[in-house]
Amino acid sequence: MPLASRHVVVVGAGVGGLVSALLLGAAGLRVTVVERGERAGGKLREIDVAGQGIDSGPTIFTMRWVFEAIFAAAGARLEDHVGLTRAGVLARHSFDDGSVFDLHADLEETVAAVERLAGPAEAKGYRAFCERTEEVFHTLNGSFMEHPAPSPLGLARSSGIGGLAALSRIQPFTPLSTVIARYFKDPRLRQLFGRYATYCGASPFHAPGPLMLIAHVERLGVWLVEGGMSRLAEALERLATERGVVFRYGTDAAELTLGQGRTTGVRLHSGEHLPADAVVFNGDPAALSAGLLGAPARTALPSWPKRDRSLSAVTFSLRARASGFPLSRHSVFFSRDYASEFEDILVRKRLPEDPTIYVCAQDRDASNGPPPDGPERLFLLVNAPATGDSNPLSQAEIASCERRVMERLARAGLTMTDGLTPPVVTTPTQFAAMFPGTGGALYGRASRGWASSFQRPNARTKIAGLYLAGGAVHPGPGIPMAALSGRHAAVSLMADLASTAPSRQAATSGGISMRSATTDATP
């Protein structure tokens, strides 16, 4: 059967779904994307505040080479569709003792900053930490992140001669906080580098040590997207449309239909049935396990307990005049006691008494020049428990959280005045409504322990013709990881079509390159 007669339905227009749709459309398949919202992006969302759009989801763009390879596979160049500027300062950090520390893209600048903050021994520790994070990245990049279905044994085999020794050096059985403590004695630096666990929605006291590789990923480049992160989603949508993909917004999928043990299409809430040779589900797998796409879809993958959910958040999107503290594009204001903060969230299931606050100042440029003259676009995030479907926050709790946030910022000298409108607040309950089945968890299943990385579902499911994409599946959360998941889904789908086609060449001509994007394009 020619590719042009094969029809794929992609449920969800998040980054993973967009990448799958783009690559499948570019390979010659007929692709329809159904999205319950009114625009593409998923968690990559933009909120209008006083007439200006504010990025209110992921705000950090890394692993540029992943997107360069995806655009190239679709016959395009990333730079022709998305404007990117590399940031010199990765993030500015404020500690409760009043100290401020900048993490730079340049290794030597950061070494000097560490020495000024904590002395020469800690600077030496930072160099050793960087060497190890680079090794971890190169050990796991091709064999885990770029692999569509990794396993512990496969990981060891792919590491080649000395593979087991290399795997032991990445310390997969040791919590991230313990690994970091081997390089740094200063509690501020331990807190700073432990924060990488929250990128996966986890606690540094439970997340596995290999998450340290995020430090190396950021040193390879943190990029500012011209016009905001949503422009990336728009670029993927625009290019996919040019490759023949059809987008249907305001269209909610109600049921995955099956016949003879395989996917036959998607039934919409309107009652319309979209026949399909394959379906890519770009939503949280928990929605399938909960039966939100019909009882038969429950069998697609194993369920897991709610206690394993990752972090949620309370966010504030606002326009205000920020003064008294020199914000960078990305700034972090740490709590006094990180362990107590995660006890509040994960054990007591409540908002932290003393929260760590992330601030994205979206009108600050890559050069850390002078602040805007007037109100600027700000996005604030506090980690929260994913109990949006079982224990919604009261208005009093939300107001108390906002007060504590402003008090912590004020301790650092930062004040926000002349707000054009009240902040737009998003809570775990609202995230639970936006992302069904999650309870507000923003990162899928939490990364707890060494095996957690292999417990995320892969692109293929137990139902023939049903594939998964998104930040809650392998290889994990974050914009580049979601993009890789979309690529894994598209590649797996095309390979399965090829295995049933009369001519493998006919099924793969014009298809998706199986080569690792990173092999070709890593800086």
Side-chain angles (χ1 to χ4, degrees), residues 125 148-149 186 219 275 316 360 373-374 399:
D186 191 289
R219 284 201 312 279
F316 305 86
C360 181
D373 183 17

Side-chain angles (χ1 to χ4, degrees), residues 488-512:
H488 291 329
V491 169
S492 299
L493 191 159
M494 290 291 292
D496 292 346
L497 286 180
S499 69
T500 60
S503 167
R504 183 175 181 87
Q505 179 62 35
T508 57
S509 60
I512 305 159

Side-chain angles (χ1 to χ4, degrees), residues 111 172 226 230 268 279 422 442 482 519:
V111 168
E226 183 179 328
S230 291
L268 307 178
V279 173
L442 296 175
T519 300

Side-chain angles (χ1 to χ4, degrees), residues 287-376:
L288 295 177
S289 301
L292 299 184
L293 275 185
R298 287 178 181 267
T299 64
L301 66 163
S303 61
W304 44 271
K306 291 182 179 180
R307 66 174 179 270
D308 286 348
R309 286 174 173 171
S310 62
L311 297 173
S312 186
V314 174
T315 67
F316 305 86
S317 305
L318 66 153
R319 289 182 63 197
R321 188 186 299 272
S323 59
F325 179 92
L327 288 172
S328 183
R329 180 64 165 257
H330 306 290
S331 300
V332 181
F333 297 80
F334 281 110
S335 61
R336 295 187 184 95
D337 186 341
Y338 222 23
S340 178
E341 180 178 352
F342 284 99
E343 283 286 311
D344 276 345
I345 298 170
L346 299 176
V347 178
R348 303 181 186 98
K349 299 295 183 181
R350 69 186 188 190
L351 292 174
E353 289 292 326
D354 181 22
T356 292
I357 305 142
Y358 166 72
V359 178
C360 181
Q362 296 173 27
D363 294 310
R364 309 283 175 128
D365 61 23
S367 64
N368 278 324
D373 183 17
E376 57 183 299

